[in-house]
DNA sequence: GAGCCCATGTAATCAGTTACATGATTAC
DNA sequence: GTAATCATGTAACTGATTACATGGGCTC
């Protein structure tokens, strides 16, 4: 999904809260944003440089001994403007690639039991995600009043919960259908 | 999500049913597969050439006057093997990019009403999708006994229904939460 | 002593999109 | 006459991942 570098926006959004290094940014993305928008180091560091050139951020270098110096980025006024501008335009269409559905679509090429196995694997893989999201939600509910931001974080977690819940429901129904098909065959 | 060209598999899967041109493949993808795995012309034509080189497909040229000749591809035994082999390994993790959640996560930067507007836009955009999927499902239920493939198609549609249903539920709850927050402010 | 955390980055490669080029036929 | 459908493709570009490079400090 090229054209217009979206990577700048999560970075701007995070820097709008507090100054951070690329490494810090990566950590927060992994913890809270990664489940709907993942970004790797290989994108963060070059993007930060680009953003500096565009005067969306500035940085201050903190000397470190032993390890590389910390480069702490701060958002500029221009950066804040860009962030706001982006937030005012409607969100683009969801971009998804579901290999599980691609394989299910062509499922008839292999045995019914092979399909069941695959879907059960999908289910167990996503059960962990749902549990994680639920834990996350509980924590957020506790600190909901401390900041207006928390409600927005909660909304994203609620989304994750709903969608992952839908995954599991589907997996159960799908396996049930396939099993009843297997029985008819006997 | 680079590494290993997944594009070959939907193409193999479709050619496993019947011989097709690149144009035909694109059409079927748009109709039935695109909602979970979209592919453009710019990927199909080069991939078909690559697949021919790898002997996963062969082709026969049908002369046409006026328009370009039709290049009709057929799957080879090697292609069928590859398809089966791929179907036997567990599906990889879902790849998603939800701009709607990225914007919601940073929603506190703009007004509550701006957030409501965005989510309502998201909702109406996805209402159409759900309606389409429901229509699709009805058609499939009617022809379910004609081919074993149809159940697998149905499973993918059911997935879409569940997930898009979750989208809409979330949108309603999110808007309700934001509206009650707006009222408290007054 | 093994492995993880901190902390930066680059280069190579691959995946995916968009724009361009061509042009006849058919339906409204 | 205008737009959609049929039908092929290439080139330029951007987005994203993976692998490589470096290396000290801390925990088990």
């Amino acid at each position: 999904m090229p054209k217009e570098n979206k990577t700048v926006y999560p970075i701007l959004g995070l820097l709008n809260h507090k100054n951070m290094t690329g490494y810090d940014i990566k950590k927060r993305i992994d913890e809270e944003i990664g489940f709907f928008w993942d970004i790797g180091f290989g994108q963060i560091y070059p993007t930060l440089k680009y953003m500096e050139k565009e005067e969306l951020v500035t940085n201050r270098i903190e000397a470190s001994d032993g390890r590389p110096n910390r480069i702490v980025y701060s958002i500029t006024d221009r950066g804040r403007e860009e962030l706001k501008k982006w937030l005012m335009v409607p969100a683009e269409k969801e971009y998804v690639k579901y290999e599980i559905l691609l394989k299910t679509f062509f499922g008839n090429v292999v045995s019914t039991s092979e399909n069941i196995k695959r879907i059960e694997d999908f289910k167990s893989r996503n059960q962990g995600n749902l549990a994680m999201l639920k834990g996350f939600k509980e924590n957020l509910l506790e600190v909901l009043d401390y900041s207006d931001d928390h409600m927005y974080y909660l909304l994203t977690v609620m989304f994750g919960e709903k969608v992952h819940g839908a995954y599991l429901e589907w997996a159960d129904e799908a396996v049930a259908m396939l099993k009843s098909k297997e029985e008819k065959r006997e």
Side-chain angles (χ1 to χ4, degrees), chain A residues 17 140 143-155:
Chain A
H17 274 268
L140 273 173
V143 296
L144 201 56
D145 296 328
Y146 294 167
S147 158
D148 276 355
D149 291 312
H150 292 154
M151 195 184 52
Y152 291 101
Y153 302 164
L154 179 64
L155 285 175

Side-chain angles (χ1 to χ4, degrees), chain A residues 18-59:
Chain A
K18 65 171 178 187
N19 303 342
M20 287 184 181
T21 66
Y23 194 85
D24 295 335
I25 290 168
K26 171 63 172 157
K27 257 204 320 191
R28 268 214 82 192
I29 287 172
D30 286 350
E31 284 163 7
E32 297 176 65
I33 298 176
F35 80 90
F36 57 83
W37 195 287
D38 199 17
I39 311 179
F41 276 122
Q43 261 181 290
I44 289 172
Y45 288 119
T47 301
L48 280 167
K49 294 215 159 158
Y50 162 81
M51 289 167 78
E52 202 198 336
K53 211 186 63 200
E54 297 290 315
E55 297 179 43
L56 302 171
V57 297
T58 54
N59 70 56

Side-chain angles (χ1 to χ4, degrees), chain A residues 14-166:
Chain A
L14 290 176
L15 291 177
N16 189 43
H17 274 268
K18 65 171 178 187
N19 303 342
M20 287 184 181
T21 66
Y23 194 85
D24 295 335
I25 290 168
K26 171 63 172 157
K27 257 204 320 191
R28 268 214 82 192
I29 287 172
D30 286 350
E31 284 163 7
E32 297 176 65
I33 298 176
F35 80 90
F36 57 83
W37 195 287
D38 199 17
I39 311 179
F41 276 122
Q43 261 181 290
I44 289 172
Y45 288 119
T47 301
L48 280 167
K49 294 215 159 158
Y50 162 81
M51 289 167 78
E52 202 198 336
K53 211 186 63 200
E54 297 290 315
E55 297 179 43
L56 302 171
V57 297
T58 54
N59 70 56
R60 183 171 35 85
I61 294 170
E62 283 180 7
S64 242
D65 50 320
R67 65 188 64 162
N69 292 336
R70 285 165 55 84
I71 305 177
V72 183
Y73 288 90
S74 337
I75 191 168
T76 63
D77 287 341
R78 269 209 59 198
R80 240 172 245 112
E81 263 174 58
E82 274 299 306
L83 177 62
K84 215 170 254 180
K85 224 169 69 188
W86 169 70
L87 282 164
M88 306 288 264
V89 284
E92 268 175 40
K93 200 176 153 288
E94 294 60 58
Y95 184 93
V96 298
K97 294 260 163 177
Y98 286 109
E99 201 184 9
I100 180 70
L101 291 190
L102 210 49
K103 289 191 176 182
T104 301
F105 192 86
F106 299 114
N108 201 29
V109 173
V110 292
S111 69
T112 309
S113 67
E114 192 65 39
N115 280 280
I116 292 172
K117 207 172 74 187
R118 189 199 313 117
I119 293 172
E120 269 167 352
D121 171 81
F122 166 81
K123 189 187 161 187
S124 65
R125 172 155 54 77
N126 278 109
Q127 252 161 352
N129 294 148
L130 188 58
M132 209 189 61
L133 286 165
K134 279 190 198 295
F136 221 70
K137 189 184 173 184
E138 275 176 46
N139 292 338
L140 273 173
L141 285 172
E142 276 173 37
V143 296
L144 201 56
D145 296 328
Y146 294 167
S147 158
D148 276 355
D149 291 312
H150 292 154
M151 195 184 52
Y152 291 101
Y153 302 164
L154 179 64
L155 285 175
T156 65
V157 173
M158 279 166 56
F159 188 103
E161 239 189 339
K162 290 244 181 228
V163 169
H164 284 263

